[in-house]
Amino acid sequence: MTKLLIHIQPSLIALPFHRAFTRPLVDIDGVEREAAWGTTEIPVEAGTHHLAVYFRYRGQRSARLGVGHEEFAVDGSMPELRVTARLGPRNGSGFHVVIG
């Protein structure tokens, strides 16, 4: 089992807005998990995985706004894998996801 450490952050310009009115989520292989602005830790098994990071306005249940995708592989030899997901500054911006 490898710990996936996902650091999720909005742009500095929009940081106060997003902290007050939105919440980030992470989808790994079709399983949605609530996350936090900052670092979220999720254990993953060895294998190839599909990661999606997005946000919703508080109170929404199904919207996926600013979606960023990335695929990654875990071989089980690493205790942790770091991921950075940064949201762009514009209203229609998506997450830029970087593995490693």
Side-chain angles (χ1 to χ4, degrees):
M1 184 89 50
T2 298
K3 286 190 294 187
L4 195 62
L5 299 174
I6 308 169
H7 186 71
I8 306 170
Q9 65 185 103
S11 71
L12 291 177
I13 296 168
L15 179 65
F17 173 83
H18 281 287
R19 289 224 169 148
F21 299 110
T22 68
R23 61 188 169 102
L25 294 106
V26 174
D27 182 309
I28 299 175
D29 300 328
V31 178
E32 183 177 271
R33 295 173 172 90
E34 289 193 22
W37 295 112
T39 302
T40 298
E41 182 180 310
I42 299 172
V44 293
E45 297 287 337
T48 302
H49 302 280
H50 180 78
L51 169 72
V53 179
Y54 49 94
F55 72 91
R56 287 189 185 132
Y57 290 102
R58 295 186 189 276
Q60 286 183 328
R61 299 200 187 273
S62 61
R64 290 185 171 208
L65 305 170
V67 180
H69 298 273
E70 194 64 47
E71 289 201 14
F72 65 97
V74 174
D75 65 7
S77 66
M78 300 178 292
E80 64 184 39
L81 178 61
R82 295 185 181 274
V83 177
T84 302
R86 288 195 176 106
L87 187 59
R90 295 196 174 123
N91 193 18
S93 296
F95 279 98
H96 177 69
V97 180
V98 177
I99 306 289

